[in-house]
Amino acid sequence: MPVPEIVTAPYLLVFVAVASYLLGSIPFGLVIAKAMGLGDLRQIGSGNIGATNVLRTGSKSAALATLLLDAGKGGIAVLLARFFIGEDAAQLAGLAAFIGHIFPVWLNFNGGKGVATYLGTLLALSFFAGLAACLTWLAFALAFRISSLAALAAAALMPLWLHFMGLPSYVMLAALLGALIWMRHAGNIRRILSGTEKKIQLRKS
């Protein structure tokens, strides 16, 4: 049995954590909005730097680009760490990239809510686990038409899905990331309970 990486190469894990955090902390939504002349996201809508708030600028292309890049931060961090070091490093990279997104050093540690980066991380760790998270989000979004509720449900149910999928090694990470997502959605939770949370608007083409 191989010696655990945390014993054999702690400096590599430190490098992975720092590099992944810095990658995750890149505020793509803010950068894209400014580059496309859409204004400062922090002064628009909820003030969040994620894809949902980018969509409030009216630019679907900017929102899609933000979604893909924010998801890519977690996915790329995981895949690179796994390729060069191993599975333990991959999970650490996903965690660090996620923390970088929600607590970016460049924005006084006030970043996004982490949903896209969470999904990207899961898809890289296990495609089917990530697919399960996406389908859970979609099911709740279609049923209740509340994006934040769908994200909270996906985060809460993911450890259970991982258990039934035979992927227990990812349960702890999914639970931790899920708890952070719930923490970042505190305001949304209050609005959901009060019935004032905005719903997804379905527009006919």
Side-chain angles (χ1 to χ4, degrees), residues 53-78:
N53 202 41
V54 175
L55 187 59
R56 294 190 178 102
T57 66
S59 175
K60 293 181 180 179
S61 59
L64 178 60
T66 300
L67 176 66
L68 294 176
L69 288 170
D70 281 348
K73 292 189 295 189
I76 289 172
V78 167

Side-chain angles (χ1 to χ4, degrees), residues 8-147:
T8 58
Y11 64 92
L12 285 178
L13 294 181
V14 171
F15 173 79
V16 165
V18 172
S20 298
Y21 170 84
L22 292 175
L23 173 61
S25 69
I26 300 173
F28 283 118
L30 195 64
V31 172
I32 290 171
K34 285 188 176 182
M36 296 181 66
L38 302 174
D40 187 341
L41 274 184
R42 293 168 293 184
Q43 306 300 322
I44 297 171
S46 65
N48 191 263
I49 63 169
T52 300
N53 202 41
V54 175
L55 187 59
R56 294 190 178 102
T57 66
S59 175
K60 293 181 180 179
S61 59
L64 178 60
T66 300
L67 176 66
L68 294 176
L69 288 170
D70 281 348
K73 292 189 295 189
I76 289 172
V78 167
L79 293 175
L80 287 176
R82 175 184 283 157
F83 179 80
F84 286 107
I85 304 177
E87 192 61 34
D88 290 344
Q91 292 201 44
L92 176 62
L95 173 61
F98 181 87
I99 291 175
H101 178 75
I102 64 175
F103 300 121
V105 63
W106 324 112
L107 300 178
N108 296 318
F109 303 101
N110 184 25
K113 296 180 180 178
V115 177
T117 306
Y118 173 75
L119 292 176
T121 296
L122 283 176
L123 283 166
L125 287 171
S126 167
F127 174 77
F128 291 107
L131 182 61
C134 292
L135 291 176
T136 302
W137 183 94
L138 181 61
F140 276 84
L142 291 174
F144 299 98
R145 292 194 296 118
I146 301 176
S147 178

Side-chain angles (χ1 to χ4, degrees), residues 167-192:
L167 297 169
S169 61
Y170 298 143
V171 169
M172 179 94 48
L173 177 63
L176 176 57
L177 298 186
L180 289 171
I181 285 176
W182 274 68
M183 180 190 75
R184 293 295 290 175
H185 281 77
N188 302 87
I189 293 170
R190 287 192 292 269
R191 290 191 293 273
I192 290 170

